[in-house]
Amino acid sequence: MFQVNARLLYNKRIKKNCHEMALSAPQIAKSALPGQFINIKVTDGLEPLLRRPFSIHQIYRQDGIKILYEAIGKGSKALARRKSGESLDVIGPLGNGFKLGRGPGAGGRRHVLVAGGMGTAPLVFLAERLAEAKNQKPKTKTLVLLGARTKDDILCEKEFKELGCEVRIATDDGSRGFKGYVSELLKDELNAIRYPLSAIYACGPTPMLKEISRISQEYDIPAQISLEAHMACGIGACMGCVIKTARNALRATEYEYKRVCKEGPVFEASRVIWD
Amino acid sequence: MNPNLKVNIGKLNLKNPVLVASGTFGYAEEFKDFIDLKKLGAIVTKTITLNPRKGNPPPRTCETPAGMLNSIGLENPGIEGFLKEKLPFLKKLGVPIIVSIASEGGQEEFITLAKRLDKIKEISAIELNISCPNIKESARLISQDAKTTYKVVKAARSVTRKTLITKLSPNVTDIAEIALAAERAGSDAVSLVNTLAGMSINVKTGKPKIAAIAGGLSGPAIRPVAVRMVWEVYQKIKIPVIGMGGIIDTESALEFLIAGASAVSIGTANFINPRSTAEIISGLRDYIIQNKISDINELVGSLRV
């Protein structure tokens, strides 16, 4: 973990309320793993008081970090007003990211990435690392399912395609691709697929992740899901951002709290207890 | 000039007056990447209970204007878990370790815990957390009643010779009365304030922002309340006061010292800037050098009225 004054390289609106920012933070960029996050003090003053966590979207020119965010709350709106050349107090890389090439499903030949809305952000970084690993194991393929409200809200389609991923789209209003939730699209895909699947990796709104956990159990495919929680510190000190997890995968009644910022934000779906 | 930053709290001789507030610093290991932990005046652990506690259901925190609410519910590994898993790291640091304890079962549990800790030489002091708003086993907190405070402190005092600090709640009519009770019962110091009881509502859903409905408010929002209480208590008691409540920088630490605190604890600021403690320690040194003060103790209670 590093705490650095990161120079803002650019901060631009890419569509609707969605913004993209790049920060120069060599130490963080060099050690970051897909699924990890950074915690940014978005202003110098007391409003907002707490840092804001953002998943790492991409490594930018080796020494930088890109984030993708929606300017909707007090913190993200303040962040959208920051200008290039300014410096931001950033802590990272934080948490445990996606496990690649180890753990359940590592032997399979196909990964499925499921993204809901802004949950697309960390999955681009993941797809990059999977593509790098693919160069060693040429038979591995990555399928990306992108969920968005409408066709105008679809994020990073081009990036995934450039990485050699197969991309399918689901929109809530059916303005493009599959009409309905991306979790429903996942079920359709799983019904159609005839080759061994290694794992599902997902990030998005909580109801979507809950549904994906259910699907992963129904189809007996391991899923890694990246969760969100309100955080005070982001470094494991305050115990604020906990979720309920099963102590033992077989006996879901015995629970323990795990910190989203420290043991997470990526969890094995089978361990998460949904209330 | 080499100014003196050393302060005494009971039997403790601290190299500087900057501590961390219980519950905001984990068990210190979480901060080792950010600061040189050896520079701290003392480390106060997250509160320990006899048995492990899972804590309250989430959401446990929310942000408020210049502050935050929490209702963690004293999640901790229990005394034996603490001694086995957390103490080995802490004792290597060579910094005084103050263990915060709370009871789920009246004064008996305080006695059991204090006895257990008394035997461990690497532990420098015990802080009695009788003011956590998030584990209300009865309608009242111990620190909301002078008689109960006296009884609990007396009981703990009878089983340990280590420095005993009593942590007080601001959710009272007269905090000086409670501080006096702690002093009479043999407490070596009092620390104040714990969080203020508070509540915040999401108006879109009509639901409370934290699952426990109410929680404890901390951060700069409570600072003026805390400074006033330190001043109030300082005038009434002879034992040292450890002041806290929304300290985020050198200036806010100085306010507490001038109001009468012999030492200060940094709390919520650790969440925002994990280097806060180190920055405040060097800020205090710079301040006393610039103002030609040879000993930081001269500042304590130096309020000009």
Side-chain angles (χ1 to χ4, degrees), chain B residues 258-298:
Chain B
I258 294 167
S262 297
V264 292
S265 282
I266 315 305
T268 302
N270 292 311
F271 298 157
I272 301 153
N273 175 12
R275 290 199 288 243
S276 298
T277 46
E279 290 172 7
I280 291 169
I281 292 165
S282 65
L284 288 176
R285 181 176 290 116
D286 293 348
Y287 176 87
I288 62 173
I289 291 171
Q290 274 161 25
N291 291 278
K292 300 190 168 57
I293 298 164
S294 58
D295 184 341
I296 197 150
N297 290 286
E298 287 171 30

mmCIF file of all heavy atoms in Angstrom, chain B residues 258-298:
data_model
loop_
_atom_site.group_PDB
_atom_site.id
_atom_site.type_symbol
_atom_site.label_atom_id
_atom_site.label_comp_id
_atom_site.label_asym_id
_atom_site.label_seq_id
_atom_site.Cartn_x
_atom_site.Cartn_y
_atom_site.Cartn_z
ATOM 1 N N ILE B 258 -4.350 23.311 24.924
ATOM 2 C CA ILE B 258 -4.588 24.602 25.569
ATOM 3 C C ILE B 258 -5.818 24.522 26.489
ATOM 4 O O ILE B 258 -5.855 25.121 27.556
ATOM 5 C CB ILE B 258 -4.736 25.721 24.497
ATOM 6 C CG1 ILE B 258 -3.389 25.898 23.768
ATOM 7 C CG2 ILE B 258 -5.191 27.041 25.122
ATOM 8 C CD1 ILE B 258 -3.460 26.737 22.496
ATOM 9 N N ALA B 259 -6.803 23.711 26.074
ATOM 10 C CA ALA B 259 -8.014 23.565 26.899
ATOM 11 C C ALA B 259 -7.761 22.721 28.146
ATOM 12 O O ALA B 259 -8.608 22.671 29.044
ATOM 13 C CB ALA B 259 -9.137 22.952 26.075
ATOM 14 N N GLY B 260 -6.613 22.021 28.195
ATOM 15 C CA GLY B 260 -6.313 21.277 29.413
ATOM 16 C C GLY B 260 -5.938 19.812 29.232
ATOM 17 O O GLY B 260 -5.725 19.100 30.206
ATOM 18 N N ALA B 261 -5.866 19.359 27.995
ATOM 19 C CA ALA B 261 -5.481 17.964 27.769
ATOM 20 C C ALA B 261 -3.960 17.822 27.861
ATOM 21 O O ALA B 261 -3.222 18.617 27.285
ATOM 22 C CB ALA B 261 -5.975 17.496 26.404
ATOM 23 N N SER B 262 -3.495 16.816 28.608
ATOM 24 C CA SER B 262 -2.057 16.552 28.700
ATOM 25 C C SER B 262 -1.569 15.776 27.483
ATOM 26 O O SER B 262 -0.380 15.743 27.188
ATOM 27 C CB SER B 262 -1.760 15.725 29.948
ATOM 28 O OG SER B 262 -2.103 16.450 31.092
ATOM 29 N N ALA B 263 -2.489 15.080 26.842
ATOM 30 C CA ALA B 263 -2.175 14.349 25.612
ATOM 31 C C ALA B 263 -3.415 14.360 24.738
ATOM 32 O O ALA B 263 -4.505 14.717 25.211
ATOM 33 C CB ALA B 263 -1.771 12.914 25.944
ATOM 34 N N VAL B 264 -3.227 13.999 23.470
ATOM 35 C CA VAL B 264 -4.377 13.981 22.555
ATOM 36 C C VAL B 264 -4.419 12.648 21.806
ATOM 37 O O VAL B 264 -3.389 12.010 21.599
ATOM 38 C CB VAL B 264 -4.316 15.131 21.521
ATOM 39 C CG1 VAL B 264 -4.499 16.476 22.191
ATOM 40 C CG2 VAL B 264 -3.012 15.099 20.729
ATOM 41 N N SER B 265 -5.628 12.266 21.425
ATOM 42 C CA SER B 265 -5.780 11.071 20.597
ATOM 43 C C SER B 265 -6.338 11.457 19.243
ATOM 44 O O SER B 265 -7.272 12.247 19.150
ATOM 45 C CB SER B 265 -6.724 10.077 21.262
ATOM 46 O OG SER B 265 -6.064 9.389 22.280
ATOM 47 N N ILE B 266 -5.743 10.866 18.211
ATOM 48 C CA ILE B 266 -6.209 11.099 16.849
ATOM 49 C C ILE B 266 -7.131 9.938 16.481
ATOM 50 O O ILE B 266 -6.762 8.775 16.654
ATOM 51 C CB ILE B 266 -5.023 11.153 15.854
ATOM 52 C CG1 ILE B 266 -3.867 12.009 16.392
ATOM 53 C CG2 ILE B 266 -5.493 11.612 14.472
ATOM 54 C CD1 ILE B 266 -4.217 13.416 16.793
ATOM 55 N N GLY B 267 -8.323 10.251 16.004
ATOM 56 C CA GLY B 267 -9.304 9.205 15.726
ATOM 57 C C GLY B 267 -9.669 9.124 14.263
ATOM 58 O O GLY B 267 -8.923 8.601 13.438
ATOM 59 N N THR B 268 -10.814 9.712 13.928
ATOM 60 C CA THR B 268 -11.344 9.657 12.569
ATOM 61 C C THR B 268 -10.324 10.101 11.519
ATOM 62 O O THR B 268 -10.323 9.595 10.402
ATOM 63 C CB THR B 268 -12.625 10.520 12.502
ATOM 64 O OG1 THR B 268 -13.542 9.998 13.471
ATOM 65 C CG2 THR B 268 -13.289 10.482 11.145
ATOM 66 N N ALA B 269 -9.438 11.035 11.891
ATOM 67 C CA ALA B 269 -8.427 11.513 10.933
ATOM 68 C C ALA B 269 -7.563 10.366 10.401
ATOM 69 O O ALA B 269 -7.084 10.422 9.268
ATOM 70 C CB ALA B 269 -7.541 12.573 11.586
ATOM 71 N N ASN B 270 -7.383 9.310 11.201
ATOM 72 C CA ASN B 270 -6.609 8.166 10.718
ATOM 73 C C ASN B 270 -7.243 7.510 9.494
ATOM 74 O O ASN B 270 -6.561 6.914 8.671
ATOM 75 C CB ASN B 270 -6.481 7.099 11.814
ATOM 76 C CG ASN B 270 -5.628 7.566 12.969
ATOM 77 O OD1 ASN B 270 -4.536 8.077 12.761
ATOM 78 N ND2 ASN B 270 -6.130 7.395 14.183
ATOM 79 N N PHE B 271 -8.560 7.610 9.407
ATOM 80 C CA PHE B 271 -9.271 7.010 8.272
ATOM 81 C C PHE B 271 -9.045 7.832 7.000
ATOM 82 O O PHE B 271 -9.050 7.309 5.901
ATOM 83 C CB PHE B 271 -10.786 6.961 8.523
ATOM 84 C CG PHE B 271 -11.201 6.128 9.714
ATOM 85 C CD1 PHE B 271 -12.414 6.367 10.339
ATOM 86 C CD2 PHE B 271 -10.384 5.113 10.203
ATOM 87 C CE1 PHE B 271 -12.820 5.605 11.421
ATOM 88 C CE2 PHE B 271 -10.779 4.344 11.289
ATOM 89 C CZ PHE B 271 -12.001 4.596 11.903
ATOM 90 N N ILE B 272 -8.907 9.133 7.190
ATOM 91 C CA ILE B 272 -8.826 10.033 6.047
ATOM 92 C C ILE B 272 -7.381 10.165 5.593
ATOM 93 O O ILE B 272 -7.079 10.060 4.406
ATOM 94 C CB ILE B 272 -9.408 11.412 6.435
ATOM 95 C CG1 ILE B 272 -10.868 11.239 6.869
ATOM 96 C CG2 ILE B 272 -9.299 12.395 5.271
ATOM 97 C CD1 ILE B 272 -11.344 12.271 7.836
ATOM 98 N N ASN B 273 -6.498 10.418 6.543
ATOM 99 C CA ASN B 273 -5.077 10.508 6.247
ATOM 100 C C ASN B 273 -4.318 9.634 7.237
ATOM 101 O O ASN B 273 -4.114 10.041 8.380
ATOM 102 C CB ASN B 273 -4.616 11.967 6.336
ATOM 103 C CG ASN B 273 -3.104 12.090 6.160
ATOM 104 O OD1 ASN B 273 -2.433 11.126 5.757
ATOM 105 N ND2 ASN B 273 -2.573 13.259 6.467
ATOM 106 N N PRO B 274 -3.930 8.441 6.820
ATOM 107 C CA PRO B 274 -3.268 7.535 7.768
ATOM 108 C C PRO B 274 -1.945 8.071 8.312
ATOM 109 O O PRO B 274 -1.401 7.513 9.251
ATOM 110 C CB PRO B 274 -3.070 6.243 6.964
ATOM 111 C CG PRO B 274 -3.329 6.580 5.554
ATOM 112 C CD PRO B 274 -4.155 7.832 5.507
ATOM 113 N N ARG B 275 -1.464 9.164 7.738
ATOM 114 C CA ARG B 275 -0.234 9.779 8.246
ATOM 115 C C ARG B 275 -0.505 10.895 9.250
ATOM 116 O O ARG B 275 0.428 11.567 9.716
ATOM 117 C CB ARG B 275 0.578 10.362 7.077
ATOM 118 C CG ARG B 275 1.194 9.316 6.164
ATOM 119 C CD ARG B 275 2.323 9.890 5.332
ATOM 120 N NE ARG B 275 1.853 10.781 4.293
ATOM 121 C CZ ARG B 275 2.015 10.564 2.978
ATOM 122 N NH1 ARG B 275 2.631 9.474 2.557
ATOM 123 N NH2 ARG B 275 1.594 11.425 2.094
ATOM 124 N N SER B 276 -1.767 11.140 9.593
ATOM 125 C CA SER B 276 -2.138 12.271 10.458
ATOM 126 C C SER B 276 -1.304 12.334 11.729
ATOM 127 O O SER B 276 -0.808 13.401 12.101
ATOM 128 C CB SER B 276 -3.607 12.170 10.889
ATOM 129 O OG SER B 276 -4.443 12.235 9.782
ATOM 130 N N THR B 277 -1.165 11.199 12.423
ATOM 131 C CA THR B 277 -0.453 11.204 13.708
ATOM 132 C C THR B 277 0.975 11.713 13.533
ATOM 133 O O THR B 277 1.405 12.598 14.285
ATOM 134 C CB THR B 277 -0.426 9.790 14.315
ATOM 135 O OG1 THR B 277 -0.055 8.862 13.298
ATOM 136 C CG2 THR B 277 -1.769 9.408 14.902
ATOM 137 N N ALA B 278 1.674 11.172 12.543
ATOM 138 C CA ALA B 278 3.072 11.563 12.330
ATOM 139 C C ALA B 278 3.160 13.054 11.988
ATOM 140 O O ALA B 278 4.051 13.769 12.470
ATOM 141 C CB ALA B 278 3.676 10.721 11.219
ATOM 142 N N GLU B 279 2.213 13.536 11.171
ATOM 143 C CA GLU B 279 2.228 14.943 10.788
ATOM 144 C C GLU B 279 1.955 15.847 11.986
ATOM 145 O O GLU B 279 2.553 16.926 12.114
ATOM 146 C CB GLU B 279 1.197 15.192 9.672
ATOM 147 C CG GLU B 279 1.633 14.547 8.353
ATOM 148 C CD GLU B 279 0.570 14.600 7.248
ATOM 149 O OE1 GLU B 279 -0.473 15.260 7.444
ATOM 150 O OE2 GLU B 279 0.793 13.970 6.209
ATOM 151 N N ILE B 280 1.072 15.404 12.876
ATOM 152 C CA ILE B 280 0.749 16.217 14.054
ATOM 153 C C ILE B 280 1.922 16.237 15.036
ATOM 154 O O ILE B 280 2.238 17.282 15.620
ATOM 155 C CB ILE B 280 -0.575 15.732 14.705
ATOM 156 C CG1 ILE B 280 -1.745 16.056 13.761
ATOM 157 C CG2 ILE B 280 -0.789 16.366 16.086
ATOM 158 C CD1 ILE B 280 -3.073 15.418 14.123
ATOM 159 N N ILE B 281 2.602 15.104 15.189
ATOM 160 C CA ILE B 281 3.772 15.077 16.090
ATOM 161 C C ILE B 281 4.823 16.087 15.614
ATOM 162 O O ILE B 281 5.316 16.907 16.402
ATOM 163 C CB ILE B 281 4.372 13.649 16.179
ATOM 164 C CG1 ILE B 281 3.398 12.708 16.888
ATOM 165 C CG2 ILE B 281 5.728 13.667 16.913
ATOM 166 C CD1 ILE B 281 3.710 11.225 16.734
ATOM 167 N N SER B 282 5.125 16.079 14.326
ATOM 168 C CA SER B 282 6.143 17.032 13.878
ATOM 169 C C SER B 282 5.599 18.459 13.884
ATOM 170 O O SER B 282 6.342 19.414 14.152
ATOM 171 C CB SER B 282 6.738 16.634 12.522
ATOM 172 O OG SER B 282 5.757 16.706 11.541
ATOM 173 N N GLY B 283 4.304 18.603 13.665
ATOM 174 C CA GLY B 283 3.681 19.933 13.722
ATOM 175 C C GLY B 283 3.747 20.532 15.118
ATOM 176 O O GLY B 283 3.986 21.735 15.287
ATOM 177 N N LEU B 284 3.532 19.701 16.131
ATOM 178 C CA LEU B 284 3.600 20.187 17.521
ATOM 179 C C LEU B 284 5.026 20.608 17.859
ATOM 180 O O LEU B 284 5.244 21.624 18.520
ATOM 181 C CB LEU B 284 3.114 19.105 18.492
ATOM 182 C CG LEU B 284 1.608 18.812 18.503
ATOM 183 C CD1 LEU B 284 1.297 17.656 19.450
ATOM 184 C CD2 LEU B 284 0.797 20.045 18.904
ATOM 185 N N ARG B 285 5.997 19.811 17.403
ATOM 186 C CA ARG B 285 7.400 20.162 17.671
ATOM 187 C C ARG B 285 7.728 21.521 17.036
ATOM 188 O O ARG B 285 8.280 22.406 17.685
ATOM 189 C CB ARG B 285 8.323 19.069 17.141
ATOM 190 C CG ARG B 285 9.809 19.356 17.398
ATOM 191 C CD ARG B 285 10.711 18.217 16.957
ATOM 192 N NE ARG B 285 10.574 17.050 17.816
ATOM 193 C CZ ARG B 285 10.122 15.865 17.426
ATOM 194 N NH1 ARG B 285 9.744 15.683 16.176
ATOM 195 N NH2 ARG B 285 10.039 14.862 18.264
ATOM 196 N N ASP B 286 7.338 21.674 15.772
ATOM 197 C CA ASP B 286 7.578 22.950 15.083
ATOM 198 C C ASP B 286 6.916 24.110 15.820
ATOM 199 O O ASP B 286 7.506 25.182 15.971
ATOM 200 C CB ASP B 286 7.030 22.906 13.646
ATOM 201 C CG ASP B 286 7.794 21.939 12.772
ATOM 202 O OD1 ASP B 286 8.885 21.469 13.199
ATOM 203 O OD2 ASP B 286 7.303 21.619 11.672
ATOM 204 N N TYR B 287 5.708 23.879 16.276
ATOM 205 C CA TYR B 287 4.959 24.943 16.949
ATOM 206 C C TYR B 287 5.668 25.409 18.212
ATOM 207 O O TYR B 287 5.820 26.612 18.447
ATOM 208 C CB TYR B 287 3.541 24.469 17.290
ATOM 209 C CG TYR B 287 2.737 25.478 18.077
ATOM 210 C CD1 TYR B 287 1.995 26.465 17.435
ATOM 211 C CD2 TYR B 287 2.721 25.457 19.477
ATOM 212 C CE1 TYR B 287 1.265 27.393 18.145
ATOM 213 C CE2 TYR B 287 1.999 26.392 20.203
ATOM 214 C CZ TYR B 287 1.263 27.368 19.531
ATOM 215 O OH TYR B 287 0.545 28.289 20.252
ATOM 216 N N ILE B 288 6.115 24.458 19.038
ATOM 217 C CA ILE B 288 6.739 24.905 20.293
ATOM 218 C C ILE B 288 8.111 25.540 20.050
ATOM 219 O O ILE B 288 8.497 26.456 20.758
ATOM 220 C CB ILE B 288 6.737 23.827 21.410
ATOM 221 C CG1 ILE B 288 7.533 22.593 21.035
ATOM 222 C CG2 ILE B 288 5.326 23.452 21.819
ATOM 223 C CD1 ILE B 288 7.658 21.620 22.208
ATOM 224 N N ILE B 289 8.799 25.073 19.021
ATOM 225 C CA ILE B 289 10.079 25.718 18.690
ATOM 226 C C ILE B 289 9.824 27.157 18.245
ATOM 227 O O ILE B 289 10.423 28.110 18.749
ATOM 228 C CB ILE B 289 10.835 24.933 17.594
ATOM 229 C CG1 ILE B 289 11.323 23.579 18.148
ATOM 230 C CG2 ILE B 289 12.023 25.746 17.057
ATOM 231 C CD1 ILE B 289 11.898 22.637 17.115
ATOM 232 N N GLN B 290 8.883 27.325 17.319
ATOM 233 C CA GLN B 290 8.581 28.658 16.795
ATOM 234 C C GLN B 290 8.110 29.619 17.884
ATOM 235 O O GLN B 290 8.380 30.807 17.838
ATOM 236 C CB GLN B 290 7.504 28.568 15.715
ATOM 237 C CG GLN B 290 8.079 28.274 14.338
ATOM 238 C CD GLN B 290 7.009 27.727 13.394
ATOM 239 O OE1 GLN B 290 5.827 27.978 13.562
ATOM 240 N NE2 GLN B 290 7.446 26.966 12.394
ATOM 241 N N ASN B 291 7.405 29.086 18.858
ATOM 242 C CA ASN B 291 6.881 29.937 19.918
ATOM 243 C C ASN B 291 7.763 29.968 21.157
ATOM 244 O O ASN B 291 7.335 30.441 22.216
ATOM 245 C CB ASN B 291 5.455 29.512 20.263
ATOM 246 C CG ASN B 291 4.492 29.837 19.134
ATOM 247 O OD1 ASN B 291 4.022 30.959 19.001
ATOM 248 N ND2 ASN B 291 4.263 28.868 18.261
ATOM 249 N N LYS B 292 8.963 29.434 21.005
ATOM 250 C CA LYS B 292 9.963 29.446 22.088
ATOM 251 C C LYS B 292 9.421 28.876 23.399
ATOM 252 O O LYS B 292 9.617 29.435 24.487
ATOM 253 C CB LYS B 292 10.505 30.873 22.286
ATOM 254 C CG LYS B 292 11.170 31.419 21.036
ATOM 255 C CD LYS B 292 11.894 32.720 21.337
ATOM 256 C CE LYS B 292 12.794 33.141 20.197
ATOM 257 N NZ LYS B 292 12.069 33.286 18.889
ATOM 258 N N ILE B 293 8.719 27.762 23.255
ATOM 259 C CA ILE B 293 8.211 27.070 24.443
ATOM 260 C C ILE B 293 9.162 25.888 24.662
ATOM 261 O O ILE B 293 9.426 25.114 23.744
ATOM 262 C CB ILE B 293 6.761 26.567 24.203
ATOM 263 C CG1 ILE B 293 5.832 27.759 23.946
ATOM 264 C CG2 ILE B 293 6.259 25.712 25.355
ATOM 265 C CD1 ILE B 293 4.497 27.395 23.331
ATOM 266 N N SER B 294 9.734 25.774 25.864
ATOM 267 C CA SER B 294 10.740 24.737 26.056
ATOM 268 C C SER B 294 10.116 23.379 26.384
ATOM 269 O O SER B 294 10.704 22.341 26.162
ATOM 270 C CB SER B 294 11.718 25.135 27.149
ATOM 271 O OG SER B 294 10.991 25.358 28.348
ATOM 272 N N ASP B 295 8.902 23.401 26.916
ATOM 273 C CA ASP B 295 8.260 22.159 27.345
ATOM 274 C C ASP B 295 6.785 22.193 26.950
ATOM 275 O O ASP B 295 6.060 23.126 27.318
ATOM 276 C CB ASP B 295 8.402 22.049 28.872
ATOM 277 C CG ASP B 295 7.853 20.737 29.413
ATOM 278 O OD1 ASP B 295 7.056 20.076 28.704
ATOM 279 O OD2 ASP B 295 8.219 20.384 30.545
ATOM 280 N N ILE B 296 6.345 21.166 26.252
ATOM 281 C CA ILE B 296 4.953 21.147 25.769
ATOM 282 C C ILE B 296 3.961 21.171 26.928
ATOM 283 O O ILE B 296 2.830 21.643 26.786
ATOM 284 C CB ILE B 296 4.702 19.961 24.812
ATOM 285 C CG1 ILE B 296 3.418 20.180 24.000
ATOM 286 C CG2 ILE B 296 4.643 18.617 25.557
ATOM 287 C CD1 ILE B 296 3.399 19.578 22.650
ATOM 288 N N ASN B 297 4.385 20.686 28.086
ATOM 289 C CA ASN B 297 3.487 20.686 29.249
ATOM 290 C C ASN B 297 3.065 22.105 29.665
ATOM 291 O O ASN B 297 2.033 22.279 30.326
ATOM 292 C CB ASN B 297 4.141 19.961 30.422
ATOM 293 C CG ASN B 297 4.237 18.462 30.162
ATOM 294 O OD1 ASN B 297 3.245 17.743 30.224
ATOM 295 N ND2 ASN B 297 5.426 17.999 29.811
ATOM 296 N N GLU B 298 3.886 23.092 29.269
ATOM 297 C CA GLU B 298 3.516 24.484 29.586
ATOM 298 C C GLU B 298 2.233 24.917 28.878
ATOM 299 O O GLU B 298 1.540 25.831 29.317
ATOM 300 C CB GLU B 298 4.640 25.447 29.144
ATOM 301 C CG GLU B 298 5.873 25.399 30.005
ATOM 302 C CD GLU B 298 7.005 26.195 29.383
ATOM 303 O OE1 GLU B 298 6.722 27.190 28.667
ATOM 304 O OE2 GLU B 298 8.169 25.810 29.585
#
